[in-house]
Every structure is written in C-alpha cells, then in structure tokens.
Amino acid sequence: RFQCAAYKAFGLKACTNKKTIAESIVKREVIGELRLYAIMITRDIEMLSNEQNEDDPELLQLQQQINGLKKLGDNPAISNAIADLEKQVRNREHQRSIRSSTIKEDKKILYALLQPDFFDSLSNEELRSICIRFISSVKYSGGKELNFSMRAFV
C-alpha cells in the first residue's frame, strides 16, 4: 500500500492526508500515464526534430557578426570581440549537441514505453527509476484517481 511520504514520515504535523492506496492501482495508473506521456512527447519530438533541421537563427546572427568584424581589419579590440563571439558560437553548438543527445536518449526510452510488453519486463526498481525521470509528482486525495505532474521534456 502507498501513502503520502510526508504523513508516513512525520504524521499529522507534516500532512493531513493519511489515506492509502493499493500498489496495484498505483502501478496500473502510473503505467497508463507514462504511456499517454510517451505518445504525446514522441509526437512532439517528431515535430521538433523536423524543425531542428533548420539553422539556428542566433547561431547565424553570431556568424554574421564575426564575418562583419573580420572585414573591419586587424585591431586588438576587434580581435577580442571576434574571439568572444567565436566562444559564444562554440558554447551554443555544445549546448545544442548536449540537448540533441539527451533527446535521443529520452526518445529511446519513450519509444520503449509505447511497446505493449515493455512494463512486464521491468523490475520494481527499474519502473521506479523511469517514474523518477519522467514524473514530477503524484497526488492522491481518495478513491482510485491519481493526479500526475510530469516533468518538462528538454
């Protein structure tokens, strides 16, 4: 059985919600919510990946600024400005590659969540780690209904 963690640890001083819910109900609802989340996010990822193939406007603007400064001539202040802009370009490209690799990793997990037998093969600990990655909070106020808050994706 599951219960509010604050109530379980500290009693009525921390939380007045002392209701409990069966583990099987929580597991069924969590799996259902993860599948819905996976459907929504994978659809969004497909649209986002189509848009990401386009050039980054801020990156293009930085490149144009660098090219404009290079045309001005050789001056220590201009050289410093060019070096600063090139550093911004490298940082932007690095952030983009990190975001891309994170999206790829999450995308693999989300596509796995869509497979009908995926959850059957998971241990409780593996399911827990997936829940921690994608679910921000679960609220239970009675009955068999749970309210989920999902983590923002990228």
Side-chain angles (χ1 to χ4, degrees), residues 38-84:
I39 289 168
M40 290 181 350
I41 296 299
T42 51
R43 184 188 64 224
D44 292 347
I45 287 174
E46 295 302 327
M47 290 189 307
L48 181 67
S49 63
N50 292 338
E51 291 173 9
Q52 268 189 344
N53 292 336
E54 300 171 6
D55 290 329
D56 181 359
E58 191 171 321
L59 202 55
L60 290 174
Q61 184 180 7
L62 289 171
Q63 291 291 354
Q64 289 173 347
Q65 289 175 3
I66 290 171
N67 292 336
L69 287 173
K70 285 181 178 178
K71 291 177 184 175
L72 292 177
D74 211 9
N75 180 325
I78 292 173
S79 297
N80 287 340
I82 290 172
D84 183 50

Side-chain angles (χ1 to χ4, degrees), residues 122-135:
L122 292 179
S123 69
N124 284 343
E125 198 56 38
E126 291 168 328
L127 178 59
R128 184 177 188 275
S129 67
I130 288 174
C131 289
I132 289 170
R133 184 168 190 157
F134 295 110
I135 298 175

Side-chain angles (χ1 to χ4, degrees), residues 105-119:
E105 186 179 316
D106 285 347
K107 192 174 176 180
K108 287 178 185 176
I109 293 171
L110 290 166
Y111 280 118
L113 295 178
L114 296 173
Q115 303 306 313
D117 60 344
F118 176 74
F119 289 100

Side-chain angles (χ1 to χ4, degrees), residues 5 12 27 36-37 67 73 77 80-81 83-84 111-112 126 139 148-149:
L12 284 172
K27 192 171 185 177
L36 286 173
Y37 181 71
N67 292 336
N80 287 340
D84 183 50
Y111 280 118
E126 291 168 328
K139 295 196 182 341
F148 293 87
S149 295

Side-chain angles (χ1 to χ4, degrees), residues 2-13:
F2 286 101
Q3 189 172 34
C4 175
Y7 178 83
K8 199 173 195 177
F10 306 108
L12 284 172
K13 292 178 183 176

